[in-house]
Amino acid sequence: MKTLGKIIRSVQAFGRALSPLENGLAQAASPVGIGIALGGGFARGIAHVGVLKVLEEENIPISFVAGTSVGALIGAAYCSGVSVPELEEIAGRVRFKHIARWTLSRYGFASNQRMIGFLNRILRVRTFEELQLPLAVTATDFSTGEAVLFHSGPLIDPVRASCAYPGMFLPVKINGRMLIDGMLAHAVPALPLREMGATHVLSIHLKGNWTNGDGPRHLFDVIGQCFAIAQDKTCEVWKRASDLVIEPAVNGFKYDAFERSTDLIRAGEAAARAALPEIRKWLAPLPQAVSAKPLLQPQVAQAK
């Protein structure tokens, strides 16, 4: 019996010693889940299409998408199955009049009600559950300032809410809450991607001065520049949640420069190609361990 007890204890000890090694192997074999955070920027958001184009051409797998404002619109279209060439074509045709209508209200100067028809025409699905890739859409509760994240249910109204730029567009009411642009809560939605399970987060920040150095043309340039300043002062949170930040050169584009879609797409492509060496590091196979120590204590390198 003593001999049998020794055998049992030896087996148990071996199992405890093997467990950390198995955990290390499991971590080494776990797939990379890249999340892409698409920030706001109105027409400048067309640059996102250029980034997506390069990632597809280079076979960089995307597992999660989160979008704010125009990033929510492009993210919803992409996740619904709209191809990059189709996005390029849509970007070349879309104008302000296709998504908005001037109005007179104490809540804003334009309604994005027309966006319902626009989204109905381009989206391949109508709910989050039907999307080909997991998507998070951000909005902001006008009354409380609370961030609101949409992951399920109907797709169109959350996208409209995320695009409801305050001062320009009327708020969008969903489930009794008055919602405005997600940019106020998540200028670049990197943190929601972490919460969705992304192992690596690629953030697209459309940084630029709305007035283009010539002074504001109208009230919307004033509002836009104020938000651009505020975002620059409060970017620490989303940058900490990002592994890599791409900033396409969109500073020379006005916020409503829809007619310059080709140039904006090229700006996104150039920024993405410059970032490819860092992105490819995420996909590089882990080196074979020569001992148990690297498996037990894996080192994770983060792109700066």
Side-chain angles (χ1 to χ4, degrees):
M1 292 295 292
K2 289 183 179 179
T3 302
L4 180 60
K6 287 181 180 180
I7 294 173
I8 293 173
R9 286 192 294 272
S10 297
V11 171
Q12 290 172 336
F14 179 77
R16 286 192 297 271
L18 185 61
S19 180
L21 181 61
E22 289 175 337
N23 289 338
L25 287 169
Q27 290 177 13
S30 62
V32 172
I34 296 176
I36 181 166
L38 306 176
F42 211 48
R44 292 170 176 169
I46 295 172
H48 290 320
V49 178
V51 175
L52 293 170
K53 181 178 180 180
V54 170
L55 296 179
E56 281 207 350
E57 289 176 351
E58 299 298 325
N59 296 314
I60 305 297
I62 300 173
S63 300
F64 308 93
V65 178
T68 287
S69 199
V70 65
L73 192 157
I74 292 175
Y78 184 72
C79 291
S80 77
V82 178
S83 69
V84 169
E86 288 172 323
L87 285 174
E88 289 185 272
E89 183 184 347
I90 293 167
R93 290 187 285 106
V94 70
R95 295 293 184 268
F96 181 84
K97 65 181 180 180
H98 296 135
I99 59 176
R101 177 178 57 83
W102 296 113
T103 187
L104 202 57
S105 168
R106 67 180 186 271
Y107 294 125
F109 290 93
S111 164
N112 66 9
Q113 192 77 14
R114 285 183 179 173
M115 194 178 290
I116 296 175
F118 176 76
L119 291 172
N120 273 322
R121 288 192 298 273
I122 69 170
L123 294 181
R124 302 294 166 78
V125 301
R126 294 294 175 265
T127 67
F128 282 86
E129 288 79 4
E130 297 173 281
L131 294 171
Q132 295 181 7
L133 287 173
L135 172 70
V137 168
T138 72
T140 306
D141 188 306
F142 178 76
S143 299
T144 66
E146 179 186 0
V148 180
L149 292 177
F150 292 93
H151 297 279
S152 61
L155 191 56
I156 289 177
D157 276 351
V159 173
R160 288 181 57 230
S162 188
C163 294
Y165 198 85
M168 177 181 287
F169 291 116
L170 308 184
V172 176
K173 203 167 188 178
I174 301 178
N175 297 327
R177 304 177 79 174
M178 189 176 290
L179 303 179
I180 54 177
D181 202 308
M183 189 165 50
L184 292 169
H186 290 286
V188 180
L191 193 57
L193 289 172
R194 292 293 185 191
E195 295 168 351
M196 293 166 74
T199 60
H200 297 77
V201 171
L202 175 63
S203 291
I204 318 303
H205 182 213
L206 303 174
K207 183 178 181 179
N209 295 319
W210 281 50
T211 61
N212 199 26
D214 300 324
R217 297 170 297 164
H218 41 57
L219 174 63
F220 304 129
D221 275 355
V222 174
I223 296 172
Q225 180 65 2
C226 290
F227 275 103
I229 294 170
Q231 287 171 22
D232 280 347
K233 303 295 184 184
T234 58
C235 63
E236 293 84 0
V237 173
W238 67 260
K239 283 191 174 181
R240 281 199 302 268
S242 307
D243 292 287
L244 184 62
V245 177
I246 293 179
E247 292 186 337
V250 297
N251 197 46
F253 298 88
K254 294 181 174 65
Y255 80 97
D256 54 354
F258 291 100
E259 75 283 355
R260 298 188 63 187
S261 62
T262 300
D263 295 328
L264 284 162
I265 290 171
R266 285 175 181 164
E269 289 182 66
R273 292 203 179 280
L276 279 175
E278 291 298 326
I279 298 172
R280 287 197 180 101
K281 290 178 183 178
W282 303 344
L283 304 175
L286 294 175
Q288 293 295 321
V290 295
S291 67
K293 186 176 180 180
L295 290 173
L296 295 174
Q297 298 178 354
Q299 301 296 314
V300 180
Q302 293 190 353
K304 300 295 184 183

